Amino acid sequence: MLIQPCDPPPRAGITAVGSLLPGDVLTSDDLQREVARPGGLALPPGILTKATGIVSRRVAAEGVYASTLAAGAARRALDSAGLTPHDVDLLVFASASRDMVEPATAHIVQAELGSRAHALDVTNACNSFVNGIDLARTMVLAGRAHRALVVTGETPSRAVRKAPADFAEFRDGFAGYTFGDAGAAVVVEAVERGGILDVDTETHSEHWEVGGIPGGGSRHPRGDSYTYFQGDGHELRGVFEKVGTAVVDRTLHRAGTDWDGFAKVLVHQVTVPYLERFAELTGVPAEKLVVTVPELGNVASASIGVQLDRVFAALAPGERVLFVGLGGGISIMTMVWEKS
């Protein structure tokens, strides 16, 4: 009996990446002075830097929107691959920020790029971008798309309360003072080798109220106070620590390797102490991390995309990278990607 060789399973991977940072830099000391001035708050000198490890962040100027940053990053990703917007048949805007409630920001990005792809939004807090990559991967593998462009544009600095009435209000909005703005984009398409090898998620939705921006939906359609980020950073950290490292442990087990099997580990970065605690709990070596939070702050779902852009060119074919996403809601997500 003649045994026919089996075709290799289809693969999809990331073939290009781009990112965009706004030109305006805001230091933590300047932000602290800006926040303290309206209410005359007597804040300890350097409290923002000391508590977060964040020295500065980029902030979008007037007239620069989430779509602006996403489109700029998209052009860089396409240019690096020698592609045009018309080479893409799926455009996913995957971000915690957006230009407006309706229509989907993906259409605004697409209008700016001039493409004609199927366009839609994906949102899941700071895991939005990794979720968008996973969605694009499944669409490519299902034959629903040939080449996808996944973009994010994050402007969480606009959800920061700049004039707290008192110290209690400052404390309640403290997590927002970690935010910075950025855009990122990746091209996802079929590859012959490597690609996205593994995806895992863990969700604990009972903690959805721990932090977020409540305005703009059916619960709070109007009211300026609802447009600011609200949440307790210590409580958020406590929830993630309680959830533990199970999803990361499972991913390493399935990959059949320890941290040595990955060239880099890209993890969503909120503050320096938060990142140090992640490294302590998981045991990931410091040299595997791509640290951006001291200079950029918490850029929400763009965090992993910006990190990937910084290391992409230096990665050799066959090297693997682990993405670890942490998002409000609460969700944790891992993705193993091998450069083709």
Side-chain angles (χ1 to χ4, degrees), residues 11-13 15 140 146 188-192:
R11 295 170 178 260
T15 58
V140 169
H146 170 64
V188 177
E189 58 189 322
V191 295
E192 293 185 357

Side-chain angles (χ1 to χ4, degrees), residues 73-152:
R75 291 190 186 96
R76 291 184 175 184
L78 292 171
D79 288 348
S80 71
L83 300 171
T84 74
H86 292 290
D87 294 320
V88 171
D89 56 1
L90 172 64
L91 192 155
V92 179
F93 178 82
S95 178
S97 303
R98 65 199 72 178
D99 280 22
M100 55 190 68
V101 173
E102 187 182 0
T105 304
H107 295 292
I108 304 174
V109 174
Q110 175 142 278
E112 190 166 336
L113 293 176
S115 52
R116 301 290 295 177
H118 176 47
L120 71 155
D121 282 6
V122 170
T123 182
N124 186 24
C126 295
N127 269 334
S128 299
F129 191 56
V130 183
N131 279 128
I133 295 171
D134 187 33
L135 173 63
R137 164 183 171 265
T138 59
M139 293 280 276
V140 169
L141 292 180
R144 293 288 308 281
H146 170 64
R147 181 180 290 118
L149 180 62
V150 183
V151 302
T152 180

Side-chain angles (χ1 to χ4, degrees), residues 1-47:
M1 176 175 148
L2 180 63
I3 300 177
Q4 297 291 337
C6 296
D7 292 333
R11 295 170 178 260
I14 297 167
T15 58
V17 60
S19 64
L20 181 65
L21 299 175
D24 292 347
V25 177
L26 179 64
T27 69
S28 290
D29 288 345
D30 285 343
L31 175 59
Q32 181 170 328
R33 283 189 286 269
E34 185 178 347
V35 168
R37 190 178 302 116
L41 295 180
L43 300 176
I47 185 175

Side-chain angles (χ1 to χ4, degrees), residues 233 236-238 240-241 270-279 326:
L236 274 168
R237 175 172 165 171
F240 280 117
E241 289 193 8
V270 179
T271 66
V272 171
Y274 209 123
L275 182 61
E276 290 173 343
R277 182 58 173 158
F278 170 84
L326 309 170

Side-chain angles (χ1 to χ4, degrees), residues 92 111 178 181 191 285 290 303 320:
V92 179
T178 67
D181 302 335
V191 295
V290 180
S303 178
R320 293 185 178 184

Side-chain angles (χ1 to χ4, degrees), residues 108-283:
I108 304 174
V109 174
Q110 175 142 278
E112 190 166 336
L113 293 176
S115 52
R116 301 290 295 177
H118 176 47
L120 71 155
D121 282 6
V122 170
T123 182
N124 186 24
C126 295
N127 269 334
S128 299
F129 191 56
V130 183
N131 279 128
I133 295 171
D134 187 33
L135 173 63
R137 164 183 171 265
T138 59
M139 293 280 276
V140 169
L141 292 180
R144 293 288 308 281
H146 170 64
R147 181 180 290 118
L149 180 62
V150 183
V151 302
T152 180
E154 292 287 12
T155 55
S157 71
R158 290 181 177 160
V160 175
R161 188 182 290 277
K162 294 291 186 66
D166 50 33
F167 187 80
E169 200 165 74
F170 169 78
R171 184 187 58 218
D172 289 343
F174 190 86
Y177 301 123
T178 67
F179 290 147
D181 302 335
V186 294
V187 174
V188 177
E189 58 189 322
V191 295
E192 293 185 357
R193 66 183 71 86
I196 298 168
L197 306 178
D198 186 88
V199 179
D200 199 356
T201 61
E202 192 162 301
T203 304
H204 298 265
S205 301
E206 65 272 20
H207 301 294
W208 73 268
E209 294 180 287
V210 172
I213 303 171
S218 61
R219 287 176 180 249
H220 304 289
R222 281 164 288 279
D224 188 62
S225 63
Y226 295 119
T227 64
Y228 300 112
F229 184 88
Q230 300 175 12
D232 186 325
H234 290 291
E235 187 177 359
L236 274 168
R237 175 172 165 171
V239 169
F240 280 117
E241 289 193 8
K242 181 180 178 181
V243 168
T245 63
V247 64
V248 175
D249 296 338
R250 292 198 304 266
T251 301
L252 292 175
H253 177 74
R254 283 193 304 274
T257 185
D258 56 16
W259 295 114
D260 290 338
F262 296 97
K264 292 295 178 182
V265 178
L266 312 183
V267 59
H268 174 60
Q269 297 176 27
V270 179
T271 66
V272 171
Y274 209 123
L275 182 61
E276 290 173 343
R277 182 58 173 158
F278 170 84
E280 179 184 353
L281 290 173
T282 61

